[in-house]
Amino acid sequence: MDPAWLAPEAPEQVWVDLEAPGDAERRILAEVFHFHELAIEDALQEIHHPKIEAYTGFLYLILHGITAGPRKRGFLTEDVDFFLGRNFLVTVHHAKSRSIAAQRDVCVRHAGVLAQGPFALMYRIVDQLENAVSQTARGVTPCNQCRARGFPGRLAKIELNEGQAQHHVFKDFVHRQLVVE
């Protein structure tokens, strides 16, 4: 990749997807993109709470996708990390992501999708994640504790608006794994 593509005034739109990151991916984040070391550390960790942090030149987000647990008894959360800049999007995840794979396929079939910019692409991925959360949650039986706290009714839309990014996954409710009691 040409480093000039990452200059703020560059016309190119870049998406880099890093699955199962290790030392080589750490070097990409640090030496190619020059992201803040704390954001890199967070991205390389498998489990974090959802968050949004603003750094000079980019926005760093951690959102959760979910997959059904064993025998559809509960679900497991999976982090998807986003580094969003004016002309780039970097996604980092430790397991396969159906949402990211689906958008990668769309970008391959329709070149204009990436031309819409990194914010639009991230929105498409987050929208897929939210749809997957809703679909998975409908097929899962919550434990008594989660049912008492309002699951799945407390699932909220993930909202991203240019200029003002907000996210709500489970509001104040984050459970790593739900299991039927």
Side-chain angles (χ1 to χ4, degrees):
M1 180 171 70
D2 185 343
W5 293 356
L6 300 177
E9 67 280 354
E12 289 82 10
Q13 304 292 316
V14 177
W15 177 23
V16 175
D17 179 48
L18 304 175
E19 183 179 317
D23 290 337
E25 290 76 14
R26 174 185 282 279
R27 284 191 299 280
I28 291 168
L29 297 172
E31 297 169 14
V32 174
F33 287 94
H34 306 286
F35 292 138
H36 193 280
E37 184 59 34
L38 291 176
I40 293 171
E41 268 183 45
D42 282 351
L44 297 177
Q45 296 292 319
E46 284 193 55
I47 301 295
H48 272 288
H49 294 292
K51 68 178 174 177
I52 299 174
E53 292 182 349
Y55 289 91
T56 303
F58 70 95
L59 192 63
Y60 174 65
L61 300 91
I62 302 174
L63 300 177
H64 287 182
I66 64 173
T67 56
R71 298 184 314 270
K72 294 199 180 227
R73 294 173 58 99
F75 66 84
L76 306 171
T77 61
E78 295 178 359
D79 290 358
V80 179
D81 298 64
F82 298 87
F83 294 86
L84 177 66
R86 192 195 67 70
N87 60 342
F88 65 83
L89 175 64
V90 178
T91 49
V92 181
H93 47 103
H94 293 271
K96 290 198 181 298
S97 168
R98 294 175 302 198
S99 301
I100 290 174
Q103 289 310 308
R104 186 181 312 113
D105 291 345
V106 169
C107 287
V108 167
R109 288 191 317 271
H110 306 286
V113 170
L114 194 53
Q116 294 172 355
F119 185 87
L121 178 59
M122 186 180 82
Y123 181 84
R124 292 171 71 96
I125 294 169
V126 170
D127 190 50
Q128 288 261 206
L129 282 170
E130 191 275 329
N131 287 339
V133 166
S134 295
Q135 289 172 1
T136 302
R138 279 194 293 271
V140 170
T141 305
C143 67
N144 290 336
Q145 176 189 359
C146 297
R147 192 177 298 112
R149 295 183 76 178
F151 176 84
R154 290 181 61 153
L155 282 177
K157 295 269 185 199
I158 298 169
E159 300 172 5
L160 292 170
N161 301 310
E162 195 157 2
Q164 177 185 358
Q166 299 177 345
H167 77 288
H168 300 282
V169 179
F170 298 111
K171 300 195 189 262
D172 64 338
F173 168 57
V174 177
H175 229 178
R176 292 288 170 211
Q177 181 176 8
L178 298 176
V179 182
V180 175
E181 295 177 335

